[in-house]
Amino acid sequence: MSEPVVRIENLSKAYGIVTALDGISLEVKGGKIFGLLGPNGAGKTTTVKILATLIRPDGGKAEVAGVDVLTDPAKARSLVGYISQELTVDPYLTPLEHLRYYADLYHVPAALRQLRIRDALALVGLAGLEDRRARHLSGGTKKKLDLACGLIHRPPVIILDEPSLGLDVEVRRDVWNHILRLKEEGTTIFLCTNYMDEAERLCDELAIIDHGKIAALGSPAELKGRLKREIVSVEVARGKEASGEWLATLETAAARLSMVRKAVKDGAILKLYVDNNEAALPKILEAAASLKIPLESIAYSRPGLDEVFLHFTGRAFARGGENDG
Amino acid sequence: MAEFFQETNAQFRRWMLHLKREPFTLAFTLLNPIILLIFMGGAFQGLASDSVGGDYRSYLLPGILALTVFGNSIAGGIPLLFERENGFLLRLMSAPISRGSILVSRFLAVNVSTMLQCLLMLVLGLLFGVRIATGVGGVFALLVISLLLGFGVTVISLVLAFRLENHGDFFAVMGITTLPLTFLSSAFVPLDSLPAWMRAVAAVNPMTYAVDAMRSLILTGWDAPRLLLMAIVLIAFDAAMFWLGRRALSRHLA
């Protein structure tokens, strides 16, 4: 299982004058979940579409399960289950008919067909819904059906492009569990994600991708460990006329403290990156008291993946004003 | 080969399920030719009986058959274009299937549905008093002619499905081709009654040859030279479209 199952070497792709991939290289070990984390337009979908043989790169090499996707695309397709970002469910067909359809497209022998269909239905928890037309299924159920369709030929590699896009919290967790179960069965999973929590929860290995380049590579814990920083979040008293002014004054004062590496305003909260929060907390409180700035709250935390992203790309992981992770 | 059959059959079955489960779409596609047969047939009966000699509905039926074939075939690629737009096709392309199976299965599905519609139109024609001079053999021949006409037009439609940017363009192309091409043929009126320039266009329109052959089967009987001419023109048309289609799509379905 130590031989890499997905291997990408110096892959590049441009659409006209827009560079989508700027020479990325990575390897995924068998039986692991590998995540490509980055904002929209970073090059995630381009990468997986190349792996799924749907677009050809301008340069570089890509292999799945030892097969070159450029020189032997037909073979590569039979070794990959690709579940795209969009729902690709046919509203007129039932789940059973979908699975039968994909079983034939992946040339599952007739003798194995029933067994495989039952297994796929059971794995994603669709048993009991197999005869209902897809148009009457919920969005989450359709996504699970999509997943089941990608498993029908038992591929050694599954590619998931943003598996939890548009799903509610409960269904997301459900889909995650199915993905983890696939991993337990020995499948190698390559996924793209936009969500920090998804990357953190699922991935053994992570590549942070930005502007078509890999900014950092490692396990989530490793990446966070590389920051060697802790964060103190200070909130000044809310709803007062002077709140904004206090925050600015405190920022200037805190930035002067020797143990504060960096001070960043994040809305009404001042985030201070420090080497050691036990030593820094009293100093920060002292500074606030001497400036007579009332505080609403103070908290400290270890960095999350969004801080990791910020660190490696130099940009905040902005996603429609949301702030999770 | 077994794999090609398995994947083509699967896709063909899916199109047939669509046909079965979209009864309204099917009904509305049929509505247009039925309206033409009933109202146009009725409205022009008096005017036309002199020039066409006899029952205008019998005269019109082949034209409506050809229009049905053309309309259904030229629209045949639309579902593929929609599935190109919504991502279904891309997912399909990630499967280890021959790209040809996508075209062959759609092609078969379009032509099966065309045959069904033609049969329905013929039955309706019979109900309105049309008698087919060549009998049951003639019905069979009418279907074969429909198929020959539909073949090349379906190929055009499949090419459009992959070459056009979006379905809006597709509908525009359909809108500006279907009726003019039908009028620029012998579908509704005898060629002789057309102005010279329209007659010139109609003479190179494959639809004219299909309609003339169908009309002879319905009105007069087996007319070997006419059928032969039709077969030569339509087979040449189909072969040309097939050759052009292959060239046009080879890059898109690599």
Side-chain angles (χ1 to χ4, degrees), chain A residues 191-229:
Chain A
L191 74 85
C192 294
T193 185
N194 217 326
Y195 299 101
M196 300 292 172
D197 51 345
E198 185 164 86
E200 186 125 38
R201 170 94 168 80
L202 294 178
C203 298
D204 300 303
E205 199 87 19
L206 207 57
I208 291 180
I209 182 168
D210 191 36
H211 294 308
K213 281 188 170 143
I214 292 191
L217 202 64
S219 72
E222 257 169 44
L223 290 175
K224 284 184 285 185
R226 261 192 250 168
L227 253 65
K228 287 202 180 60
R229 283 185 199 175

mmCIF file of all heavy atoms in Angstrom, chain A residues 191-229:
data_model
loop_
_atom_site.group_PDB
_atom_site.id
_atom_site.type_symbol
_atom_site.label_atom_id
_atom_site.label_comp_id
_atom_site.label_asym_id
_atom_site.label_seq_id
_atom_site.Cartn_x
_atom_site.Cartn_y
_atom_site.Cartn_z
ATOM 1 N N LEU A 191 -10.065 14.022 -3.180
ATOM 2 C CA LEU A 191 -11.199 14.938 -3.153
ATOM 3 C C LEU A 191 -10.781 16.396 -3.188
ATOM 4 O O LEU A 191 -9.718 16.769 -2.710
ATOM 5 C CB LEU A 191 -12.120 14.626 -1.969
ATOM 6 C CG LEU A 191 -11.776 14.959 -0.534
ATOM 7 C CD1 LEU A 191 -12.162 16.391 -0.210
ATOM 8 C CD2 LEU A 191 -12.539 14.038 0.396
ATOM 9 N N CYS A 192 -11.650 17.191 -3.783
ATOM 10 C CA CYS A 192 -11.461 18.631 -3.808
ATOM 11 C C CYS A 192 -12.417 19.206 -2.800
ATOM 12 O O CYS A 192 -13.556 18.752 -2.703
ATOM 13 C CB CYS A 192 -11.903 19.227 -5.136
ATOM 14 S SG CYS A 192 -10.909 18.722 -6.485
ATOM 15 N N THR A 193 -11.969 20.202 -2.101
ATOM 16 C CA THR A 193 -12.914 20.830 -1.191
ATOM 17 C C THR A 193 -12.626 22.302 -1.001
ATOM 18 O O THR A 193 -11.518 22.781 -1.205
ATOM 19 C CB THR A 193 -12.974 20.098 0.166
ATOM 20 O OG1 THR A 193 -14.000 20.688 0.956
ATOM 21 C CG2 THR A 193 -11.653 20.205 0.896
ATOM 22 N N ASN A 194 -13.692 22.949 -0.614
ATOM 23 C CA ASN A 194 -13.716 24.361 -0.387
ATOM 24 C C ASN A 194 -13.852 24.608 1.110
ATOM 25 O O ASN A 194 -13.810 25.719 1.567
ATOM 26 C CB ASN A 194 -14.991 24.863 -1.076
ATOM 27 C CG ASN A 194 -14.807 26.194 -1.714
ATOM 28 O OD1 ASN A 194 -14.069 27.000 -1.196
ATOM 29 N ND2 ASN A 194 -15.473 26.410 -2.817
ATOM 30 N N TYR A 195 -14.100 23.505 1.843
ATOM 31 C CA TYR A 195 -14.439 23.623 3.259
ATOM 32 C C TYR A 195 -13.302 23.127 4.148
ATOM 33 O O TYR A 195 -12.838 22.004 4.019
ATOM 34 C CB TYR A 195 -15.683 22.792 3.581
ATOM 35 C CG TYR A 195 -16.911 23.213 2.834
ATOM 36 C CD1 TYR A 195 -17.340 22.511 1.718
ATOM 37 C CD2 TYR A 195 -17.654 24.314 3.257
ATOM 38 C CE1 TYR A 195 -18.481 22.893 1.035
ATOM 39 C CE2 TYR A 195 -18.790 24.698 2.578
ATOM 40 C CZ TYR A 195 -19.198 23.988 1.466
ATOM 41 O OH TYR A 195 -20.317 24.369 0.792
ATOM 42 N N MET A 196 -12.893 23.993 5.068
ATOM 43 C CA MET A 196 -11.839 23.647 6.014
ATOM 44 C C MET A 196 -12.213 22.453 6.868
ATOM 45 O O MET A 196 -11.421 21.553 7.101
ATOM 46 C CB MET A 196 -11.589 24.818 6.962
ATOM 47 C CG MET A 196 -11.155 26.067 6.275
ATOM 48 S SD MET A 196 -9.523 25.836 5.596
ATOM 49 C CE MET A 196 -9.384 27.341 4.671
ATOM 50 N N ASP A 197 -13.459 22.459 7.363
ATOM 51 C CA ASP A 197 -13.844 21.383 8.289
ATOM 52 C C ASP A 197 -13.871 20.042 7.571
ATOM 53 O O ASP A 197 -13.511 19.018 8.134
ATOM 54 C CB ASP A 197 -15.188 21.685 8.964
ATOM 55 C CG ASP A 197 -16.267 22.057 7.971
ATOM 56 O OD1 ASP A 197 -15.937 22.361 6.813
ATOM 57 O OD2 ASP A 197 -17.449 22.049 8.364
ATOM 58 N N GLU A 198 -14.253 20.075 6.285
ATOM 59 C CA GLU A 198 -14.281 18.833 5.520
ATOM 60 C C GLU A 198 -12.863 18.280 5.357
ATOM 61 O O GLU A 198 -12.611 17.094 5.558
ATOM 62 C CB GLU A 198 -14.905 19.101 4.153
ATOM 63 C CG GLU A 198 -15.103 17.874 3.319
ATOM 64 C CD GLU A 198 -16.072 18.156 2.179
ATOM 65 O OE1 GLU A 198 -15.634 18.626 1.120
ATOM 66 O OE2 GLU A 198 -17.275 17.901 2.372
ATOM 67 N N ALA A 199 -11.943 19.172 5.018
ATOM 68 C CA ALA A 199 -10.551 18.763 4.844
ATOM 69 C C ALA A 199 -10.002 18.197 6.145
ATOM 70 O O ALA A 199 -9.337 17.158 6.180
ATOM 71 C CB ALA A 199 -9.721 19.950 4.393
ATOM 72 N N GLU A 200 -10.316 18.868 7.236
ATOM 73 C CA GLU A 200 -9.805 18.481 8.545
ATOM 74 C C GLU A 200 -10.352 17.115 8.971
ATOM 75 O O GLU A 200 -9.646 16.276 9.494
ATOM 76 C CB GLU A 200 -10.238 19.549 9.558
ATOM 77 C CG GLU A 200 -9.654 19.360 10.923
ATOM 78 C CD GLU A 200 -8.929 20.618 11.384
ATOM 79 O OE1 GLU A 200 -9.440 21.707 11.089
ATOM 80 O OE2 GLU A 200 -7.878 20.480 12.014
ATOM 81 N N ARG A 201 -11.646 16.924 8.704
ATOM 82 C CA ARG A 201 -12.322 15.712 9.169
ATOM 83 C C ARG A 201 -11.921 14.497 8.332
ATOM 84 O O ARG A 201 -11.779 13.400 8.854
ATOM 85 C CB ARG A 201 -13.835 15.945 9.055
ATOM 86 C CG ARG A 201 -14.709 14.748 9.272
ATOM 87 C CD ARG A 201 -15.173 14.659 10.707
ATOM 88 N NE ARG A 201 -16.230 13.664 10.853
ATOM 89 C CZ ARG A 201 -15.998 12.368 10.934
ATOM 90 N NH1 ARG A 201 -14.779 11.906 10.868
ATOM 91 N NH2 ARG A 201 -17.016 11.513 11.064
ATOM 92 N N LEU A 202 -11.745 14.684 7.017
ATOM 93 C CA LEU A 202 -11.594 13.535 6.134
ATOM 94 C C LEU A 202 -10.154 13.216 5.731
ATOM 95 O O LEU A 202 -9.807 12.051 5.577
ATOM 96 C CB LEU A 202 -12.410 13.750 4.845
ATOM 97 C CG LEU A 202 -13.929 13.793 4.960
ATOM 98 C CD1 LEU A 202 -14.536 14.057 3.585
ATOM 99 C CD2 LEU A 202 -14.479 12.480 5.518
ATOM 100 N N CYS A 203 -9.350 14.245 5.535
ATOM 101 C CA CYS A 203 -8.129 14.017 4.770
ATOM 102 C C CYS A 203 -6.955 13.547 5.609
ATOM 103 O O CYS A 203 -6.677 14.080 6.678
ATOM 104 C CB CYS A 203 -7.732 15.290 4.035
ATOM 105 S SG CYS A 203 -8.991 15.782 2.863
ATOM 106 N N ASP A 204 -6.245 12.541 5.105
ATOM 107 C CA ASP A 204 -4.996 12.104 5.714
ATOM 108 C C ASP A 204 -3.874 13.028 5.267
ATOM 109 O O ASP A 204 -2.908 13.250 5.975
ATOM 110 C CB ASP A 204 -4.664 10.677 5.258
ATOM 111 C CG ASP A 204 -5.752 9.706 5.663
ATOM 112 O OD1 ASP A 204 -6.047 9.630 6.869
ATOM 113 O OD2 ASP A 204 -6.324 9.054 4.778
ATOM 114 N N GLU A 205 -4.032 13.497 4.048
ATOM 115 C CA GLU A 205 -2.985 14.308 3.422
ATOM 116 C C GLU A 205 -3.688 15.443 2.699
ATOM 117 O O GLU A 205 -4.785 15.255 2.179
ATOM 118 C CB GLU A 205 -2.249 13.426 2.412
ATOM 119 C CG GLU A 205 -0.908 13.887 2.001
ATOM 120 C CD GLU A 205 0.201 13.403 2.939
ATOM 121 O OE1 GLU A 205 -0.017 12.431 3.683
ATOM 122 O OE2 GLU A 205 1.256 14.036 2.912
ATOM 123 N N LEU A 206 -3.030 16.583 2.650
ATOM 124 C CA LEU A 206 -3.699 17.763 2.135
ATOM 125 C C LEU A 206 -2.737 18.571 1.279
ATOM 126 O O LEU A 206 -1.573 18.693 1.599
ATOM 127 C CB LEU A 206 -4.114 18.603 3.336
ATOM 128 C CG LEU A 206 -5.305 19.524 3.262
ATOM 129 C CD1 LEU A 206 -6.542 18.749 2.880
ATOM 130 C CD2 LEU A 206 -5.520 20.173 4.632
ATOM 131 N N ALA A 207 -3.249 19.086 0.158
ATOM 132 C CA ALA A 207 -2.453 20.050 -0.595
ATOM 133 C C ALA A 207 -3.250 21.335 -0.641
ATOM 134 O O ALA A 207 -4.423 21.322 -1.007
ATOM 135 C CB ALA A 207 -2.191 19.545 -2.002
ATOM 136 N N ILE A 208 -2.635 22.423 -0.240
ATOM 137 C CA ILE A 208 -3.300 23.717 -0.362
ATOM 138 C C ILE A 208 -2.937 24.282 -1.718
ATOM 139 O O ILE A 208 -1.756 24.402 -2.053
ATOM 140 C CB ILE A 208 -2.879 24.670 0.771
ATOM 141 C CG1 ILE A 208 -3.463 24.122 2.086
ATOM 142 C CG2 ILE A 208 -3.376 26.081 0.504
ATOM 143 C CD1 ILE A 208 -3.142 24.954 3.284
ATOM 144 N N ILE A 209 -3.959 24.545 -2.516
ATOM 145 C CA ILE A 209 -3.714 24.986 -3.883
ATOM 146 C C ILE A 209 -4.276 26.387 -4.056
ATOM 147 O O ILE A 209 -5.356 26.711 -3.554
ATOM 148 C CB ILE A 209 -4.315 23.969 -4.896
ATOM 149 C CG1 ILE A 209 -4.037 24.377 -6.343
ATOM 150 C CG2 ILE A 209 -5.801 23.758 -4.677
ATOM 151 C CD1 ILE A 209 -4.350 23.285 -7.348
ATOM 152 N N ASP A 210 -3.497 27.215 -4.715
ATOM 153 C CA ASP A 210 -3.903 28.602 -4.908
ATOM 154 C C ASP A 210 -3.273 29.097 -6.200
ATOM 155 O O ASP A 210 -2.085 28.879 -6.437
ATOM 156 C CB ASP A 210 -3.423 29.432 -3.713
ATOM 157 C CG ASP A 210 -4.046 30.826 -3.720
ATOM 158 O OD1 ASP A 210 -5.218 30.948 -4.119
ATOM 159 O OD2 ASP A 210 -3.349 31.777 -3.326
ATOM 160 N N HIS A 211 -4.049 29.736 -7.051
ATOM 161 C CA HIS A 211 -3.554 30.218 -8.345
ATOM 162 C C HIS A 211 -2.805 29.148 -9.125
ATOM 163 O O HIS A 211 -1.755 29.409 -9.707
ATOM 164 C CB HIS A 211 -2.639 31.429 -8.151
ATOM 165 C CG HIS A 211 -3.367 32.625 -7.607
ATOM 166 N ND1 HIS A 211 -4.517 33.107 -8.179
ATOM 167 C CD2 HIS A 211 -3.115 33.398 -6.536
ATOM 168 C CE1 HIS A 211 -4.930 34.147 -7.491
ATOM 169 N NE2 HIS A 211 -4.115 34.351 -6.482
ATOM 170 N N GLY A 212 -3.313 27.920 -9.094
ATOM 171 C CA GLY A 212 -2.718 26.856 -9.890
ATOM 172 C C GLY A 212 -1.395 26.313 -9.382
ATOM 173 O O GLY A 212 -0.710 25.590 -10.090
ATOM 174 N N LYS A 213 -1.059 26.685 -8.152
ATOM 175 C CA LYS A 213 0.193 26.182 -7.587
ATOM 176 C C LYS A 213 -0.080 25.554 -6.234
ATOM 177 O O LYS A 213 -0.986 25.983 -5.523
ATOM 178 C CB LYS A 213 1.182 27.332 -7.380
ATOM 179 C CG LYS A 213 1.883 27.752 -8.640
ATOM 180 C CD LYS A 213 2.971 28.746 -8.308
ATOM 181 C CE LYS A 213 3.818 28.954 -9.538
ATOM 182 N NZ LYS A 213 4.262 30.313 -9.706
ATOM 183 N N ILE A 214 0.734 24.578 -5.881
ATOM 184 C CA ILE A 214 0.593 23.995 -4.558
ATOM 185 C C ILE A 214 1.382 24.829 -3.569
ATOM 186 O O ILE A 214 2.599 24.999 -3.705
ATOM 187 C CB ILE A 214 1.037 22.529 -4.557
ATOM 188 C CG1 ILE A 214 0.014 21.766 -5.395
ATOM 189 C CG2 ILE A 214 1.118 21.992 -3.139
ATOM 190 C CD1 ILE A 214 0.092 20.308 -5.337
ATOM 191 N N ALA A 215 0.649 25.376 -2.581
ATOM 192 C CA ALA A 215 1.287 26.277 -1.632
ATOM 193 C C ALA A 215 1.845 25.503 -0.447
ATOM 194 O O ALA A 215 2.828 25.918 0.157
ATOM 195 C CB ALA A 215 0.286 27.331 -1.162
ATOM 196 N N ALA A 216 1.222 24.384 -0.109
ATOM 197 C CA ALA A 216 1.702 23.579 1.010
ATOM 198 C C ALA A 216 1.161 22.173 0.889
ATOM 199 O O ALA A 216 0.093 21.959 0.325
ATOM 200 C CB ALA A 216 1.255 24.193 2.336
ATOM 201 N N LEU A 217 1.908 21.222 1.441
ATOM 202 C CA LEU A 217 1.545 19.818 1.307
ATOM 203 C C LEU A 217 1.830 19.128 2.636
ATOM 204 O O LEU A 217 2.904 19.319 3.198
ATOM 205 C CB LEU A 217 2.423 19.228 0.200
ATOM 206 C CG LEU A 217 2.022 17.996 -0.546
ATOM 207 C CD1 LEU A 217 0.757 18.242 -1.349
ATOM 208 C CD2 LEU A 217 3.143 17.578 -1.498
ATOM 209 N N GLY A 218 0.895 18.356 3.150
ATOM 210 C CA GLY A 218 1.154 17.626 4.386
ATOM 211 C C GLY A 218 -0.143 17.199 5.033
ATOM 212 O O GLY A 218 -1.224 17.483 4.509
ATOM 213 N N SER A 219 -0.057 16.515 6.176
ATOM 214 C CA SER A 219 -1.290 16.162 6.879
ATOM 215 C C SER A 219 -1.826 17.424 7.540
ATOM 216 O O SER A 219 -1.063 18.358 7.782
ATOM 217 C CB SER A 219 -1.007 15.090 7.923
ATOM 218 O OG SER A 219 -0.292 15.659 8.992
ATOM 219 N N PRO A 220 -3.134 17.462 7.835
ATOM 220 C CA PRO A 220 -3.676 18.666 8.482
ATOM 221 C C PRO A 220 -2.904 19.033 9.751
ATOM 222 O O PRO A 220 -2.603 20.216 9.974
ATOM 223 C CB PRO A 220 -5.117 18.276 8.799
ATOM 224 C CG PRO A 220 -5.466 17.265 7.766
ATOM 225 C CD PRO A 220 -4.194 16.504 7.493
ATOM 226 N N ALA A 221 -2.538 18.016 10.550
ATOM 227 C CA ALA A 221 -1.827 18.307 11.800
ATOM 228 C C ALA A 221 -0.442 18.886 11.508
ATOM 229 O O ALA A 221 -0.017 19.853 12.137
ATOM 230 C CB ALA A 221 -1.709 17.036 12.634
ATOM 231 N N GLU A 222 0.235 18.296 10.529
ATOM 232 C CA GLU A 222 1.569 18.787 10.151
ATOM 233 C C GLU A 222 1.522 20.250 9.715
ATOM 234 O O GLU A 222 2.348 21.060 10.100
ATOM 235 C CB GLU A 222 2.078 17.992 8.955
ATOM 236 C CG GLU A 222 3.105 16.938 9.244
ATOM 237 C CD GLU A 222 3.283 16.075 8.014
ATOM 238 O OE1 GLU A 222 3.371 16.628 6.883
ATOM 239 O OE2 GLU A 222 3.288 14.850 8.183
ATOM 240 N N LEU A 223 0.536 20.526 8.852
ATOM 241 C CA LEU A 223 0.433 21.883 8.310
ATOM 242 C C LEU A 223 0.209 22.880 9.425
ATOM 243 O O LEU A 223 0.808 23.956 9.452
ATOM 244 C CB LEU A 223 -0.708 21.959 7.295
ATOM 245 C CG LEU A 223 -0.466 21.223 5.974
ATOM 246 C CD1 LEU A 223 -1.709 21.262 5.111
ATOM 247 C CD2 LEU A 223 0.709 21.855 5.231
ATOM 248 N N LYS A 224 -0.643 22.498 10.376
ATOM 249 C CA LYS A 224 -0.916 23.419 11.476
ATOM 250 C C LYS A 224 0.313 23.541 12.371
ATOM 251 O O LYS A 224 0.628 24.616 12.883
ATOM 252 C CB LYS A 224 -2.129 22.943 12.278
ATOM 253 C CG LYS A 224 -3.414 23.240 11.538
ATOM 254 C CD LYS A 224 -4.629 22.873 12.344
ATOM 255 C CE LYS A 224 -4.830 21.378 12.357
ATOM 256 N NZ LYS A 224 -6.077 21.011 13.045
ATOM 257 N N GLY A 225 1.023 22.405 12.532
ATOM 258 C CA GLY A 225 2.225 22.397 13.361
ATOM 259 C C GLY A 225 3.295 23.324 12.816
ATOM 260 O O GLY A 225 4.054 23.930 13.559
ATOM 261 N N ARG A 226 3.316 23.454 11.482
ATOM 262 C CA ARG A 226 4.342 24.274 10.858
ATOM 263 C C ARG A 226 4.173 25.763 11.190
ATOM 264 O O ARG A 226 5.107 26.534 11.032
ATOM 265 C CB ARG A 226 4.289 24.098 9.347
ATOM 266 C CG ARG A 226 5.351 23.117 8.858
ATOM 267 C CD ARG A 226 5.468 23.182 7.374
ATOM 268 N NE ARG A 226 4.936 21.955 6.802
ATOM 269 C CZ ARG A 226 4.682 21.809 5.508
ATOM 270 N NH1 ARG A 226 4.865 22.808 4.679
ATOM 271 N NH2 ARG A 226 4.221 20.675 5.054
ATOM 272 N N LEU A 227 2.990 26.132 11.622
ATOM 273 C CA LEU A 227 2.759 27.528 11.949
ATOM 274 C C LEU A 227 3.438 27.934 13.258
ATOM 275 O O LEU A 227 3.844 29.073 13.417
ATOM 276 C CB LEU A 227 1.255 27.815 12.048
ATOM 277 C CG LEU A 227 0.688 28.604 10.893
ATOM 278 C CD1 LEU A 227 0.801 27.801 9.624
ATOM 279 C CD2 LEU A 227 -0.755 28.959 11.155
ATOM 280 N N LYS A 228 3.542 26.958 14.179
ATOM 281 C CA LYS A 228 4.168 27.190 15.493
ATOM 282 C C LYS A 228 3.659 28.479 16.120
ATOM 283 O O LYS A 228 4.413 29.284 16.631
ATOM 284 C CB LYS A 228 5.690 27.276 15.349
ATOM 285 C CG LYS A 228 6.353 25.937 15.090
ATOM 286 C CD LYS A 228 7.813 25.991 15.497
ATOM 287 C CE LYS A 228 8.530 24.687 15.268
ATOM 288 N NZ LYS A 228 8.539 24.249 13.876
ATOM 289 N N ARG A 229 2.372 28.697 16.018
ATOM 290 C CA ARG A 229 1.832 29.926 16.585
ATOM 291 C C ARG A 229 0.530 29.628 17.282
ATOM 292 O O ARG A 229 -0.151 28.649 16.966
ATOM 293 C CB ARG A 229 1.536 30.931 15.474
ATOM 294 C CG ARG A 229 2.772 31.588 14.972
ATOM 295 C CD ARG A 229 2.391 32.613 13.993
ATOM 296 N NE ARG A 229 3.557 32.929 13.184
ATOM 297 C CZ ARG A 229 3.508 33.741 12.154
ATOM 298 N NH1 ARG A 229 2.364 34.286 11.803
ATOM 299 N NH2 ARG A 229 4.588 33.994 11.476
#
